[in-house]
Structure formats: C-alpha cells, structure tokens
Amino acid sequence: MTSSISFRYELEKKQPRVGPGGITRGASVNDFPASVGIAGVSMRLQPGAMRELHWHANAAEWAYIVDGYCRTTIIHPDGNTYTDSFGPGDVWYFPKGYGHVIQGLGPGECHFILIFDNGNFSEDHTFSITDFISHVPAAVAAQSLGITEDEVAQLPKGEVYFAQGEVPDDHSLLSDPRPAPQLISMHRYPLHAQQPRRIPGGGTQRVVSAAEFPISTTITGSLIELQPGALRELHWHPNADEWQYFISGTAEVGIFLAEGEAVTEYFNAGDVGYVPMGAGHYIKNTGNDLCKILIGFNSGHYQALDLSEWLAGNPIDLIAGNFGIPKALADKFPATKNFIIP
Ligand code: MN
Ligand code: MN
C-alpha cells in the first residue's frame, strides 16, 4: 500500500515572492501538507538588500547559508542586541518572537535556507516593522518615533518586506579573501567548519543541536553528504520530525508509515522532503555525483535509531527466530552500527 499524500515538494520550482533585491520561496503546511511540524523557506538577497526588521509569532527560525554572505541583527527581551555576519556553511538560530533583520553583504547573491519549528509558519504570523508602523495612527507613529506627522507621511504606507539598502561600509566584512568563519557566537554556528563524522567511501554527517549551539533549544540541524550509491541506512527519529532540503545530487527516500503503508519519493536539487516523527526511512544517492542534504529536526536534541545497531544488539537466535531463518543467515546481518553504507 502506498501513501496518498506526497512527502516531496519542489520548493525551487515554486513561483517566488519578489521584491527589491530579494526573492523568497516558502513551504508551509498549506503548500506541502505532509509538513505539519516544520516549515521552510529558500531566500536570496542581493548585496545591500534586506529582509526588513520583523519577528515571527509562532516559530523559532533556523538558517543555513548555502552561498554568499549576509549579516543579521537580533534583539533579546533583555534589550541586548547582537550583530553577526555569516558565510557559506554557517547556521543561525533566532528564538520565537525575537526581532531580527537579514541583509546581503555581497559580493554576489546570498542564498540561505530557513527552517521554522512549526508547519503553520506563514506570513500571517510574521510581523514586519513597516507593516506595524503604517497601521497605527500617524499621531501615535509620530509620538513613538519622535518625528512630526509630516515626516511620518514619508514612511512606507504598508509592509516593505524586502528593502534595498547600501552595502555596509565595513571592510572587515568585505575583505577578500575573507577569513574562514570559525567562531561560534550566541546566534552563529559554523556548521561546515565542524569536523564531520566520516564513513570511508560512504559519506559524512555534521550535526548541530543544543549541545553544540546552546541557544538552538528547539531545532537540530544536520548536513549529510552521500557518495554515489551510498545509503543512509534504515532508521527513525524518536523525538522529532525531519525536514530535508536537497542541495545537490539526486536521491531516493523511502518512508515507512506502519500498517503496511510506505511511500518512495525521488529528489532533485531544490526539492524538499519530510519524514514524520518516528517513521522509518532511508536515503539513497541515486546519481553519479555527491548528494548533499540539509536536514532540520524540530527538537534541540538529536536522536536517531539505526536498524543495524538495533539488530546487532539482539541475540542471533532471537533474530533468526523473528525472521524464521537459519542462524547462519542471521549471522550475516550487521554486527555493528553502519549509519551510512557505501
Ligand atoms: Mn525571520
Ligand atoms: Mn533521518
């Protein structure tokens, strides 16, 4: 039996929202019905362009920089503000409701993937500064900002969303070649700089949970690279849904939903996948190139149970009995955890 709903969404084929200097494509549960627990966005900013000051009422925001450079500022409820710059392979985490802004630094476009720990994340739950100020009486806006009502008339009449600003005049951000970003800060974690777990001939995995990046209490990120033919073995996650963005290559993902129900999906670069919490699954690189996958989990704790480890932890006679096979055959099953199989 196969599932009637799709676990694949062609995010980069979606018609984007386009504004001055910015392009965004989002996948909430409205676009991608399977993804009830996690939503995602693919956004691109030109140098100087910004996703204006805003906050999200119902979700924390986690990001991975695919390409290019940007900077962010964020304010905490204690009044402290933090400014960070990000390059390829860096991650950020912004708690739910904290005000923030993202600006492209150049050179070239900055492309990043945003993950929200709520499938109902949408623009309905996103509050932009210009939308806010343009929806209070002019007298209140004037009093609040310390300007005249005539000056309030110069402000945007509605939500700006994307705004084209100047490239920051900060040469430490613009030096070329840029220093390799290595530093962890309150909101920034250099995931690609992490030494990966490496399976010779099979691939690599990098993980950033709250253990590595303390502020990221509700989201864990993972970057998996699979060599051609390699298999991220049968496994499941006891504590979190899994949201996948295929950065490069092609893959087959099988998802087992219990009671005989299973679905197989085929992915290309730019597609998004989703695996519900607890559902058994695998990822196989079906192409001749490296398959690179960004994965987000809606828990700050990383948990995975791999089939090989489970089988290896049971007595051979029990496994033989379970499958109704000779012990000699059961003995060929994995004796240790595989994780990725070349
Ligand atoms: Mn945001
Ligand atoms: Mn998984």
Side-chain angles (χ1 to χ4, degrees):
M1 191 164 89
T2 57
S3 169
S4 56
I5 71 162
S6 175
F7 289 86
R8 180 179 71 116
Y9 181 72
E10 294 178 301
L11 180 61
E12 298 292 0
K13 291 186 180 172
K14 185 183 181 180
Q15 199 70 327
R17 175 174 184 166
V18 178
I23 292 177
T24 185
R25 294 176 170 87
S28 73
V29 71
N30 298 324
D31 309 290
F32 183 22
S35 67
V36 293
I38 303 173
V41 166
S42 173
M43 193 176 288
R44 291 170 167 84
L45 293 174
Q46 295 300 319
M50 65 191 87
R51 171 70 184 92
E52 70 163 317
L53 298 167
H54 66 280
W55 72 94
H56 308 286
N58 72 347
E61 171 177 321
W62 186 98
Y64 177 82
I65 312 293
V66 177
D67 208 8
Y69 298 85
C70 65
R71 73 171 175 180
T72 65
T73 73
I74 179 169
I75 185 161
H76 284 215
D78 64 9
N80 281 314
T81 58
Y82 301 83
T83 301
D84 287 286
S85 60
F86 298 81
D90 290 343
V91 162
W92 73 65
Y93 180 90
F94 298 153
K96 180 174 70 178
Y98 289 25
H100 56 278
V101 62
I102 311 159
Q103 184 176 33
L105 290 177
E109 181 179 84
C110 185
H111 177 210
F112 48 92
I113 303 300
L114 301 171
I115 295 175
F116 299 91
D117 58 356
N118 186 336
N120 278 313
F121 163 82
S122 73
E123 300 307 331
D124 302 343
H125 301 287
T126 295
F127 297 74
S128 292
I129 194 167
T130 52
D131 201 14
F132 191 11
I133 291 172
S134 63
H135 287 91
V136 299
V140 172
Q143 188 176 4
S144 183
L145 298 173
I147 59 178
T148 66
E149 288 193 41
D150 283 348
E151 288 166 334
V152 168
Q154 298 174 29
L155 301 180
K157 302 290 185 284
E159 185 182 32
V160 164
Y161 195 85
F162 286 125
Q164 181 65 56
E166 291 180 11
V167 176
D169 183 18
D170 180 343
H171 294 280
S172 72
L173 296 174
L174 301 173
S175 62
D176 196 18
R178 287 157 197 271
Q182 301 273 334
L183 297 174
I184 298 173
S185 71
M186 169 86 81
H187 292 285
R188 175 171 171 277
Y189 184 86
L191 181 58
H192 208 269
Q194 184 185 82
Q195 278 301 320
R197 176 179 184 180
R198 203 178 289 280
I199 285 74
T204 62
Q205 182 200 35
R206 293 172 171 86
V207 173
V208 54
S209 69
E212 294 82 17
F213 187 31
I215 198 164
S216 188
T217 53
T218 65
I219 297 175
T220 292
S222 173
L223 191 63
I224 288 187
E225 294 176 329
L226 294 176
Q227 297 289 335
L231 177 71
R232 170 70 183 99
E233 69 161 303
L234 305 183
H235 70 282
W236 68 97
H237 306 282
N239 67 333
D241 303 305
E242 171 172 333
W243 188 94
Q244 306 158 336
Y245 178 87
F246 290 81
I247 296 173
S248 66
T250 57
E252 172 187 325
V253 176
I255 303 168
F256 170 57
L257 299 159
E259 300 188 353
E261 195 176 348
V263 60
T264 308
E265 303 280 9
Y266 298 90
F267 292 88
N268 293 303
D271 293 345
V272 165
Y274 191 82
V275 181
M277 189 186 309
H281 57 287
Y282 65 85
I283 308 174
K284 183 172 171 63
N285 182 347
T286 52
N288 297 317
D289 302 312
L290 190 71
C291 181
K292 196 166 174 178
I293 312 150
L294 177 69
I295 293 177
F297 301 99
N298 50 0
S299 170
H301 300 284
Y302 177 69
Q303 292 184 346
L305 284 170
D306 289 6
L307 197 74
S308 59
E309 191 173 31
W310 194 25
L311 291 170
N314 276 282
I316 286 289
D317 60 320
L318 187 147
I319 298 297
N322 190 142
F323 287 92
I325 55 175
K327 279 187 202 172
L329 180 53
D331 211 25
K332 293 181 177 173
F333 283 9
T336 56
K337 182 185 177 94
N338 283 326
F339 184 63
I340 292 172
I341 303 166

